Amino acid sequence: PLAPRMPRPTTAHAGTIADKTIDELTHALRRGRYDAAPPSALAKRVAETLIQTVATAPRDASAEDIIARVREVGGALALVRREHLLVGNVARRVLKVIRDEASAGARGRGAEARAGSGERAGSGVVGGVSGGGERGGERGERGEREDGVDGHGRRSSDGGEAMKKLKRDVIETAHEVMEEMQSVSSNIAAQSGEFVVNGMVIMTISGAGGASGGLPEAFLRDAHKKRNDLRVVVAECAPRFDGHVMAKSLAERGVKDVNVICDSAVYAAMPSVKLVVLSARGVLADGTALVDSGAYNVALAAKAHAVPVIVLAGSYAISPKSINEEGFDSLFGLGSPASALEYGVHPDAVVVNPALEYVPPELISVFVTDHGAHVPGFIQVLLGEMYSPLDASLLAK
């Protein structure tokens, strides 16, 4: 089915610079420009688009208005290419930042109002012109909600100043989150020493292009620097044969013992393997990993031979979605037949080319993320730290 059209902006946001940025990103997603790109590149682009949406919000907008707009934009972008779970996840991270900063701002204003109320009540008692300490305190708590004049006769600043501060705080924190996303690969690779020992035989499988294949390679390259005599076995990943590309890259970077095997030989080679390293395009709420086709075969063989399986995933890949949601399983289907069979070779052939598949949590020993290493059952805790429960479904009213 065709990707949904981006909803047109509401009147309050019409004509902003952000609208053009949103349309450009939507077009890029539809054309598949990020299908083979590193996940961090798409995460950065989505975060920048949502930050611009916040920055161009009207001065009279409330925090609820900004949240609604970011939910609208993030939800629509997530529907363009649903296999890119990180689009919705980045939107949820930005929404969590907005909610946290709005709550912190409200608590700060409340504390200031209470402090001002105490000062006015005290000065009224000392000066004898209080009009009642209790009423003075009540007046201070009401603050700007009446005539906008504080207890000292000064005109209070309008809501525009509070909104300006909220935007500034949100943008600053969101940029910190964006910088964290850019360092995902290096943070995950730096943990290789905790799982790899000298002389270990490691099996891996490359992802499709840069979409998820970069993490295992970075992990193994870092492990090679820390440990001696590593042996790496790479499944070739037919019909794309990305395993050959990965093996060549590792060999060029100093890993001496690298072997490529056909996918059907994974089970036979597994008895000599001590660790399996996979990467995930997405991690669901129950600890299920969404992986490139072929990884499930490797995980099953590892389970049969009691070989531990670690799955590398950036925090932006962790999603509150569940495989049990209605229709969710059908979202991730088949890849282009052209990668398995050239057009015109067999005109009557029916080509089935699965692009993605699931690895259930019982086949996974641990997830290695930029937030540390966690067992599949701990994913729910990470979700509570990164996202608000109110944003589990971005398009929900």
Side-chain angles (χ1 to χ4, degrees):
L2 294 175
R5 289 185 176 275
M6 173 65 63
R8 300 313 303 167
T10 57
T11 304
H13 297 271
T16 64
I17 301 175
D19 297 333
K20 181 180 179 181
T21 306
I22 294 167
D23 290 339
E24 289 175 351
L25 178 54
T26 302
H27 181 70
L29 288 170
R30 286 176 177 160
R31 296 295 298 271
R33 293 177 184 171
Y34 289 96
D35 288 359
S40 58
L42 178 55
K44 179 181 179 181
R45 181 73 184 276
V46 174
E48 288 174 341
T49 301
L50 297 177
I51 288 173
Q52 196 167 41
T53 301
V54 173
T56 56
R59 290 189 61 186
D60 59 349
S62 64
E64 289 76 13
D65 294 333
I66 295 178
I67 289 172
R69 178 56 178 164
V70 172
R71 281 172 61 96
E72 178 188 27
V73 173
L77 289 173
L79 289 177
V80 176
R81 295 294 295 272
R82 298 192 182 196
E83 62 268 33
H84 290 306
L85 289 177
L86 71 82
V87 175
N89 296 338
V90 172
R92 294 183 182 94
R93 288 289 296 274
V94 174
L95 285 166
K96 181 71 160 53
V97 169
I98 298 172
R99 295 182 187 278
D100 289 348
E101 294 296 341
S103 297
R107 289 194 298 270
R109 290 191 296 273
E112 290 176 0
R114 288 191 293 274
S117 168
E119 291 178 4
R120 289 191 295 273
S123 63
V125 171
V126 173
V129 194
S130 69
E134 183 178 345
R135 291 188 59 190
E138 181 183 352
R139 168 76 170 186
E141 293 177 359
R142 286 198 299 265
E144 300 176 7
R145 285 178 290 177
E146 291 186 356
D147 56 5
V149 179
D150 65 17
H152 298 283
R154 294 190 298 263
R155 174 69 60 178
S156 299
S157 61
D158 58 19
E161 290 301 317
M163 178 51 57
K164 188 183 298 184
K165 183 180 185 305
L166 174 62
K167 285 185 182 181
R168 184 172 60 250
D169 294 343
V170 167
I171 292 171
E172 181 179 344
T173 307
H175 274 294
E176 293 175 0
V177 172
M178 191 166 64
E179 291 174 3
E180 172 191 316
M181 292 177 182
Q182 299 308 296
S183 60
V184 162
S185 182
S186 59
N187 288 339
I188 291 176
Q191 302 174 61
S192 63
E194 302 176 16
F195 301 93
V196 180
V197 298
N198 293 334
M200 177 175 276
V201 180
I202 304 172
M203 181 178 288
T204 188
I205 182 170
S206 177
S212 59
L215 287 179
E217 182 177 338
F219 186 87
L220 293 173
R221 283 163 53 186
D222 187 86
H224 170 68
K225 297 176 183 177
K226 299 174 179 176
R227 301 290 183 258
N228 300 320
D229 303 323
L230 289 185
R231 294 176 56 197
V232 180
V233 180
V234 184
E236 67 178 359
C237 268
R240 300 182 308 270
F241 301 108
D242 295 313
H244 293 268
V245 177
M246 180 179 179
K248 180 181 178 181
S249 178
L250 287 172
E252 290 175 346
R253 286 164 173 78
V255 183
K256 297 179 180 179
D257 195 344
V258 183
N259 298 280
V260 180
I261 61 173
C262 61
D263 298 324
S264 59
V266 165
Y267 190 90
M270 192 60 71
S272 63
V273 174
K274 301 303 180 184
L275 179 69
V276 169
V277 178
L278 305 176
S279 61
R281 284 178 176 256
V283 180
L284 306 185
D286 63 348
T288 297
L290 179 66
V291 296
D292 289 290
S293 181
Y296 181 52
N297 175 46
V298 177
L300 282 175
K303 182 72 171 181
H305 292 89
V307 177
V309 176
I310 65 174
V311 177
L312 314 179
S315 57
Y316 45 57
I318 301 175
S319 171
K321 295 291 185 180
S322 168
I323 195 175
N324 297 321
E325 292 183 17
E326 184 178 356
F328 186 78
D329 190 37
S330 63
L331 297 179
F332 309 98
L334 305 178
S336 170
S339 62
L341 185 68
E342 293 183 5
Y343 288 111
V345 175
H346 297 286
D348 297 328
V350 177
V351 179
V352 179
N353 183 23
L356 303 171
E357 55 192 8
Y358 298 101
V359 174
E362 56 267 24
L363 300 182
I364 300 171
S365 304
V366 67
F367 284 100
V368 181
T369 75
D370 48 308
H371 288 184
H374 309 286
V375 296
F378 196 77
I379 296 299
Q380 286 284 358
V381 178
L382 290 179
L383 289 172
E385 294 176 353
M386 294 190 301
Y387 311 135
S388 166
L390 299 175
D391 301 319
S393 179
L394 292 174
L395 296 178
K397 298 297 183 181

